[in-house]
Amino acid sequence: MSNRRSRQSSSALRISDDQMIDLVSKLRQLLPEIRERRRSDKVSASKVLQETCNYIRKLHSEVDNLSDRLSQLLDSVDEDSHEAAVIRSLLM
Amino acid sequence: MASLISDIEPPTHLDPSSTDLLRKKKRPSVSSGASARRHAASGDSESHARWRSEKQQRIYSAKLIQALQQVRHSSSSAATSSPTAQKRGKAVREAADRVLAVSARGRTRWSRAILANRIKLKFRKQKRPRPTAIPAMTTVITTGSSGRSRKRRVSVVRLNKKSLPAVTGKVRVLGRLVPGCGKESVPVILEEATDYIQALEMQVRAMKSLAELLSGSGSGSAPPPI
């Protein structure tokens, strides 16, 4: 545990501030919460990272919900499989 | 950075796991996949655009449908009592993630992690030793060292010494959310998260439209169960 921690902090030190800011601002552009703001508004890296975590969690739960929904829909399509074929042909 | 060289390597590690997936479904576009990978290595803005493209979403949707049919077959052919809805939702989720990882073609750590998880399960079943871990030193800091022009406007506040620990703490939390990035370095986590978010967005778009398609055509002829 302590070993891992020290490795991580040393790797954190290797990254330059410029690099960090470059990477974080790339993330910033993906976040709906922050993206809408004016570009001139500066946002702290900490805020961007917080929002990034929130956004990933939100996307994960969306995928979870959609998975449940799709599995239910699969049940309903199960009986006549030609529907599945129709959908597949639409997408191909 | 010598580590950039190993960028080319990862796909070979996927082969044992994904051949059965790839061979059946992906044969025609294997060569284009190789060139896409090379593009991605040269500049990831292209790979990010990839997740946004309609074509990518179509490919993903098609693969997803195939995977979902397998889920359906395997669950319906199982002699045991029909799996719970929760279980099936989970199976769908796993299939969706696996397909997403395959769509990433092993360029990214998160996708390799998803596929590696899969291999682990397979190998455990067959009681064979686990494959050696995917090399840890791939695609480190492709950003900084590849000297990509920093044309994007810097819109993040400069870091000061005080905020750095808090920021690295947040990055660590982020690393736990991105598959395979729990123990990675800060730049790797940030890079991977950037790609992973866009992949997830595409996954959500594709699954949404698939659900709409299925519910649209499902309600026409067959009444929904219950």
Side-chain angles (χ1 to χ4, degrees), chain A residues 47-68:
Chain A
K47 170 85 175 156
V48 171
L49 292 167
Q50 185 62 52
E51 289 298 335
T52 305
C53 292
N54 293 347
Y55 190 42
I56 290 182
R57 288 195 189 101
K58 184 179 160 245
L59 288 168
H60 278 162
S61 77
E62 270 184 75
V63 172
D64 270 339
N65 293 338
L66 283 165
S67 298
D68 287 344

PDB file of all heavy atoms in Angstrom, chain A residues 47-68:
ATOM      1  N   LYS A  47     -11.892  21.492  -9.879  1.00  0.00           N
ATOM      2  CA  LYS A  47     -13.301  21.503 -10.279  1.00  0.00           C
ATOM      3  C   LYS A  47     -13.520  20.644 -11.532  1.00  0.00           C
ATOM      4  O   LYS A  47     -14.488  19.875 -11.618  1.00  0.00           O
ATOM      5  CB  LYS A  47     -13.718  22.958 -10.535  1.00  0.00           C
ATOM      6  CG  LYS A  47     -15.061  23.132 -11.185  1.00  0.00           C
ATOM      7  CD  LYS A  47     -16.170  23.136 -10.184  1.00  0.00           C
ATOM      8  CE  LYS A  47     -17.500  23.434 -10.859  1.00  0.00           C
ATOM      9  NZ  LYS A  47     -18.618  22.917 -10.074  1.00  0.00           N
ATOM     10  N   VAL A  48     -12.625  20.801 -12.479  1.00  0.00           N
ATOM     11  CA  VAL A  48     -12.743  20.009 -13.712  1.00  0.00           C
ATOM     12  C   VAL A  48     -12.705  18.517 -13.384  1.00  0.00           C
ATOM     13  O   VAL A  48     -13.518  17.733 -13.882  1.00  0.00           O
ATOM     14  CB  VAL A  48     -11.614  20.362 -14.710  1.00  0.00           C
ATOM     15  CG1 VAL A  48     -11.609  19.394 -15.882  1.00  0.00           C
ATOM     16  CG2 VAL A  48     -11.758  21.785 -15.205  1.00  0.00           C
ATOM     17  N   LEU A  49     -11.779  18.144 -12.512  1.00  0.00           N
ATOM     18  CA  LEU A  49     -11.637  16.728 -12.185  1.00  0.00           C
ATOM     19  C   LEU A  49     -12.855  16.211 -11.438  1.00  0.00           C
ATOM     20  O   LEU A  49     -13.316  15.092 -11.669  1.00  0.00           O
ATOM     21  CB  LEU A  49     -10.369  16.521 -11.366  1.00  0.00           C
ATOM     22  CG  LEU A  49      -9.082  16.759 -12.154  1.00  0.00           C
ATOM     23  CD1 LEU A  49      -7.887  16.851 -11.238  1.00  0.00           C
ATOM     24  CD2 LEU A  49      -8.875  15.656 -13.181  1.00  0.00           C
ATOM     25  N   GLN A  50     -13.359  17.040 -10.561  1.00  0.00           N
ATOM     26  CA  GLN A  50     -14.572  16.654  -9.838  1.00  0.00           C
ATOM     27  C   GLN A  50     -15.717  16.403 -10.816  1.00  0.00           C
ATOM     28  O   GLN A  50     -16.423  15.398 -10.747  1.00  0.00           O
ATOM     29  CB  GLN A  50     -14.940  17.771  -8.851  1.00  0.00           C
ATOM     30  CG  GLN A  50     -16.113  17.427  -7.956  1.00  0.00           C
ATOM     31  CD  GLN A  50     -15.809  16.233  -7.090  1.00  0.00           C
ATOM     32  OE1 GLN A  50     -14.792  16.190  -6.395  1.00  0.00           O
ATOM     33  NE2 GLN A  50     -16.658  15.218  -7.148  1.00  0.00           N
ATOM     34  N   GLU A  51     -15.869  17.354 -11.746  1.00  0.00           N
ATOM     35  CA  GLU A  51     -16.947  17.221 -12.726  1.00  0.00           C
ATOM     36  C   GLU A  51     -16.721  16.020 -13.639  1.00  0.00           C
ATOM     37  O   GLU A  51     -17.664  15.382 -14.086  1.00  0.00           O
ATOM     38  CB  GLU A  51     -17.053  18.497 -13.567  1.00  0.00           C
ATOM     39  CG  GLU A  51     -17.611  19.703 -12.812  1.00  0.00           C
ATOM     40  CD  GLU A  51     -19.039  19.477 -12.327  1.00  0.00           C
ATOM     41  OE1 GLU A  51     -19.756  18.663 -12.934  1.00  0.00           O
ATOM     42  OE2 GLU A  51     -19.421  20.118 -11.333  1.00  0.00           O
ATOM     43  N   THR A  52     -15.459  15.741 -13.918  1.00  0.00           N
ATOM     44  CA  THR A  52     -15.161  14.579 -14.757  1.00  0.00           C
ATOM     45  C   THR A  52     -15.625  13.297 -14.080  1.00  0.00           C
ATOM     46  O   THR A  52     -16.261  12.446 -14.705  1.00  0.00           O
ATOM     47  CB  THR A  52     -13.643  14.492 -15.028  1.00  0.00           C
ATOM     48  OG1 THR A  52     -13.198  15.725 -15.594  1.00  0.00           O
ATOM     49  CG2 THR A  52     -13.338  13.368 -15.985  1.00  0.00           C
ATOM     50  N   CYS A  53     -15.321  13.195 -12.799  1.00  0.00           N
ATOM     51  CA  CYS A  53     -15.763  12.011 -12.051  1.00  0.00           C
ATOM     52  C   CYS A  53     -17.279  11.918 -12.053  1.00  0.00           C
ATOM     53  O   CYS A  53     -17.845  10.842 -12.297  1.00  0.00           O
ATOM     54  CB  CYS A  53     -15.255  12.076 -10.612  1.00  0.00           C
ATOM     55  SG  CYS A  53     -13.472  11.904 -10.459  1.00  0.00           S
ATOM     56  N   ASN A  54     -17.924  13.037 -11.799  1.00  0.00           N
ATOM     57  CA  ASN A  54     -19.391  13.025 -11.786  1.00  0.00           C
ATOM     58  C   ASN A  54     -19.945  12.599 -13.139  1.00  0.00           C
ATOM     59  O   ASN A  54     -20.909  11.836 -13.212  1.00  0.00           O
ATOM     60  CB  ASN A  54     -19.932  14.422 -11.461  1.00  0.00           C
ATOM     61  CG  ASN A  54     -19.600  14.841 -10.042  1.00  0.00           C
ATOM     62  OD1 ASN A  54     -19.192  14.013  -9.234  1.00  0.00           O
ATOM     63  ND2 ASN A  54     -19.765  16.109  -9.751  1.00  0.00           N
ATOM     64  N   TYR A  55     -19.320  13.108 -14.174  1.00  0.00           N
ATOM     65  CA  TYR A  55     -19.830  12.826 -15.508  1.00  0.00           C
ATOM     66  C   TYR A  55     -19.656  11.338 -15.847  1.00  0.00           C
ATOM     67  O   TYR A  55     -20.563  10.712 -16.402  1.00  0.00           O
ATOM     68  CB  TYR A  55     -19.107  13.705 -16.526  1.00  0.00           C
ATOM     69  CG  TYR A  55     -19.711  13.672 -17.911  1.00  0.00           C
ATOM     70  CD1 TYR A  55     -21.086  13.694 -18.091  1.00  0.00           C
ATOM     71  CD2 TYR A  55     -18.900  13.634 -19.035  1.00  0.00           C
ATOM     72  CE1 TYR A  55     -21.637  13.668 -19.360  1.00  0.00           C
ATOM     73  CE2 TYR A  55     -19.440  13.620 -20.302  1.00  0.00           C
ATOM     74  CZ  TYR A  55     -20.803  13.627 -20.464  1.00  0.00           C
ATOM     75  OH  TYR A  55     -21.343  13.606 -21.728  1.00  0.00           O
ATOM     76  N   ILE A  56     -18.513  10.782 -15.492  1.00  0.00           N
ATOM     77  CA  ILE A  56     -18.306   9.352 -15.771  1.00  0.00           C
ATOM     78  C   ILE A  56     -19.317   8.519 -14.990  1.00  0.00           C
ATOM     79  O   ILE A  56     -19.903   7.570 -15.513  1.00  0.00           O
ATOM     80  CB  ILE A  56     -16.858   8.926 -15.438  1.00  0.00           C
ATOM     81  CG1 ILE A  56     -15.901   9.548 -16.448  1.00  0.00           C
ATOM     82  CG2 ILE A  56     -16.722   7.399 -15.469  1.00  0.00           C
ATOM     83  CD1 ILE A  56     -14.450   9.155 -16.243  1.00  0.00           C
ATOM     84  N   ARG A  57     -19.546   8.900 -13.744  1.00  0.00           N
ATOM     85  CA  ARG A  57     -20.541   8.158 -12.957  1.00  0.00           C
ATOM     86  C   ARG A  57     -21.921   8.250 -13.601  1.00  0.00           C
ATOM     87  O   ARG A  57     -22.666   7.273 -13.662  1.00  0.00           O
ATOM     88  CB  ARG A  57     -20.603   8.723 -11.535  1.00  0.00           C
ATOM     89  CG  ARG A  57     -19.383   8.374 -10.721  1.00  0.00           C
ATOM     90  CD  ARG A  57     -19.618   8.607  -9.247  1.00  0.00           C
ATOM     91  NE  ARG A  57     -18.357   8.475  -8.519  1.00  0.00           N
ATOM     92  CZ  ARG A  57     -17.630   9.516  -8.105  1.00  0.00           C
ATOM     93  NH1 ARG A  57     -18.046  10.753  -8.318  1.00  0.00           N
ATOM     94  NH2 ARG A  57     -16.491   9.316  -7.485  1.00  0.00           N
ATOM     95  N   LYS A  58     -22.217   9.440 -14.098  1.00  0.00           N
ATOM     96  CA  LYS A  58     -23.517   9.626 -14.737  1.00  0.00           C
ATOM     97  C   LYS A  58     -23.620   8.760 -15.986  1.00  0.00           C
ATOM     98  O   LYS A  58     -24.646   8.082 -16.207  1.00  0.00           O
ATOM     99  CB  LYS A  58     -23.690  11.111 -15.104  1.00  0.00           C
ATOM    100  CG  LYS A  58     -25.029  11.446 -15.691  1.00  0.00           C
ATOM    101  CD  LYS A  58     -25.138  12.935 -15.998  1.00  0.00           C
ATOM    102  CE  LYS A  58     -26.241  13.185 -17.002  1.00  0.00           C
ATOM    103  NZ  LYS A  58     -25.725  13.721 -18.276  1.00  0.00           N
ATOM    104  N   LEU A  59     -22.570   8.753 -16.783  1.00  0.00           N
ATOM    105  CA  LEU A  59     -22.581   7.930 -17.995  1.00  0.00           C
ATOM    106  C   LEU A  59     -22.686   6.452 -17.645  1.00  0.00           C
ATOM    107  O   LEU A  59     -23.409   5.699 -18.305  1.00  0.00           O
ATOM    108  CB  LEU A  59     -21.327   8.201 -18.826  1.00  0.00           C
ATOM    109  CG  LEU A  59     -21.258   9.555 -19.543  1.00  0.00           C
ATOM    110  CD1 LEU A  59     -19.860   9.819 -20.068  1.00  0.00           C
ATOM    111  CD2 LEU A  59     -22.256   9.607 -20.692  1.00  0.00           C
ATOM    112  N   HIS A  60     -21.982   6.050 -16.597  1.00  0.00           N
ATOM    113  CA  HIS A  60     -22.072   4.654 -16.178  1.00  0.00           C
ATOM    114  C   HIS A  60     -23.495   4.271 -15.802  1.00  0.00           C
ATOM    115  O   HIS A  60     -23.990   3.209 -16.185  1.00  0.00           O
ATOM    116  CB  HIS A  60     -21.150   4.407 -14.972  1.00  0.00           C
ATOM    117  CG  HIS A  60     -19.722   4.169 -15.351  1.00  0.00           C
ATOM    118  ND1 HIS A  60     -18.694   4.290 -14.467  1.00  0.00           N
ATOM    119  CD2 HIS A  60     -19.167   3.820 -16.530  1.00  0.00           C
ATOM    120  CE1 HIS A  60     -17.550   4.017 -15.076  1.00  0.00           C
ATOM    121  NE2 HIS A  60     -17.814   3.746 -16.339  1.00  0.00           N
ATOM    122  N   SER A  61     -24.151   5.159 -15.068  1.00  0.00           N
ATOM    123  CA  SER A  61     -25.504   4.793 -14.649  1.00  0.00           C
ATOM    124  C   SER A  61     -26.456   4.820 -15.843  1.00  0.00           C
ATOM    125  O   SER A  61     -27.399   4.040 -15.907  1.00  0.00           O
ATOM    126  CB  SER A  61     -25.983   5.711 -13.523  1.00  0.00           C
ATOM    127  OG  SER A  61     -26.360   6.963 -14.033  1.00  0.00           O
ATOM    128  N   GLU A  62     -26.163   5.708 -16.796  1.00  0.00           N
ATOM    129  CA  GLU A  62     -26.986   5.686 -18.014  1.00  0.00           C
ATOM    130  C   GLU A  62     -26.826   4.359 -18.749  1.00  0.00           C
ATOM    131  O   GLU A  62     -27.808   3.778 -19.221  1.00  0.00           O
ATOM    132  CB  GLU A  62     -26.586   6.837 -18.948  1.00  0.00           C
ATOM    133  CG  GLU A  62     -27.357   8.111 -18.699  1.00  0.00           C
ATOM    134  CD  GLU A  62     -26.998   9.184 -19.717  1.00  0.00           C
ATOM    135  OE1 GLU A  62     -27.435   9.093 -20.868  1.00  0.00           O
ATOM    136  OE2 GLU A  62     -26.269  10.117 -19.342  1.00  0.00           O
ATOM    137  N   VAL A  63     -25.584   3.888 -18.842  1.00  0.00           N
ATOM    138  CA  VAL A  63     -25.347   2.610 -19.514  1.00  0.00           C
ATOM    139  C   VAL A  63     -26.042   1.483 -18.753  1.00  0.00           C
ATOM    140  O   VAL A  63     -26.629   0.577 -19.354  1.00  0.00           O
ATOM    141  CB  VAL A  63     -23.831   2.338 -19.657  1.00  0.00           C
ATOM    142  CG1 VAL A  63     -23.571   0.925 -20.165  1.00  0.00           C
ATOM    143  CG2 VAL A  63     -23.193   3.333 -20.597  1.00  0.00           C
ATOM    144  N   ASP A  64     -25.986   1.562 -17.429  1.00  0.00           N
ATOM    145  CA  ASP A  64     -26.680   0.552 -16.619  1.00  0.00           C
ATOM    146  C   ASP A  64     -28.172   0.533 -16.928  1.00  0.00           C
ATOM    147  O   ASP A  64     -28.762  -0.529 -17.164  1.00  0.00           O
ATOM    148  CB  ASP A  64     -26.484   0.858 -15.124  1.00  0.00           C
ATOM    149  CG  ASP A  64     -25.253   0.175 -14.573  1.00  0.00           C
ATOM    150  OD1 ASP A  64     -24.811  -0.811 -15.194  1.00  0.00           O
ATOM    151  OD2 ASP A  64     -24.743   0.622 -13.538  1.00  0.00           O
ATOM    152  N   ASN A  65     -28.765   1.718 -16.906  1.00  0.00           N
ATOM    153  CA  ASN A  65     -30.206   1.790 -17.162  1.00  0.00           C
ATOM    154  C   ASN A  65     -30.554   1.301 -18.559  1.00  0.00           C
ATOM    155  O   ASN A  65     -31.528   0.575 -18.757  1.00  0.00           O
ATOM    156  CB  ASN A  65     -30.705   3.233 -16.994  1.00  0.00           C
ATOM    157  CG  ASN A  65     -30.611   3.690 -15.556  1.00  0.00           C
ATOM    158  OD1 ASN A  65     -30.579   2.871 -14.651  1.00  0.00           O
ATOM    159  ND2 ASN A  65     -30.558   4.996 -15.338  1.00  0.00           N
ATOM    160  N   LEU A  66     -29.735   1.719 -19.516  1.00  0.00           N
ATOM    161  CA  LEU A  66     -29.998   1.298 -20.892  1.00  0.00           C
ATOM    162  C   LEU A  66     -29.826  -0.213 -21.039  1.00  0.00           C
ATOM    163  O   LEU A  66     -30.556  -0.848 -21.812  1.00  0.00           O
ATOM    164  CB  LEU A  66     -29.074   2.042 -21.848  1.00  0.00           C
ATOM    165  CG  LEU A  66     -29.463   3.505 -22.136  1.00  0.00           C
ATOM    166  CD1 LEU A  66     -28.323   4.259 -22.778  1.00  0.00           C
ATOM    167  CD2 LEU A  66     -30.699   3.559 -23.042  1.00  0.00           C
ATOM    168  N   SER A  67     -28.878  -0.770 -20.289  1.00  0.00           N
ATOM    169  CA  SER A  67     -28.689  -2.227 -20.355  1.00  0.00           C
ATOM    170  C   SER A  67     -29.935  -2.949 -19.852  1.00  0.00           C
ATOM    171  O   SER A  67     -30.392  -3.918 -20.462  1.00  0.00           O
ATOM    172  CB  SER A  67     -27.484  -2.639 -19.517  1.00  0.00           C
ATOM    173  OG  SER A  67     -26.316  -2.053 -20.000  1.00  0.00           O
ATOM    174  N   ASP A  68     -30.459  -2.458 -18.741  1.00  0.00           N
ATOM    175  CA  ASP A  68     -31.683  -3.075 -18.213  1.00  0.00           C
ATOM    176  C   ASP A  68     -32.816  -2.960 -19.224  1.00  0.00           C
ATOM    177  O   ASP A  68     -33.557  -3.907 -19.471  1.00  0.00           O
ATOM    178  CB  ASP A  68     -32.088  -2.390 -16.903  1.00  0.00           C
ATOM    179  CG  ASP A  68     -31.150  -2.775 -15.769  1.00  0.00           C
ATOM    180  OD1 ASP A  68     -30.419  -3.762 -15.940  1.00  0.00           O
ATOM    181  OD2 ASP A  68     -31.145  -2.081 -14.736  1.00  0.00           O
TER     182      ASP A  68
END
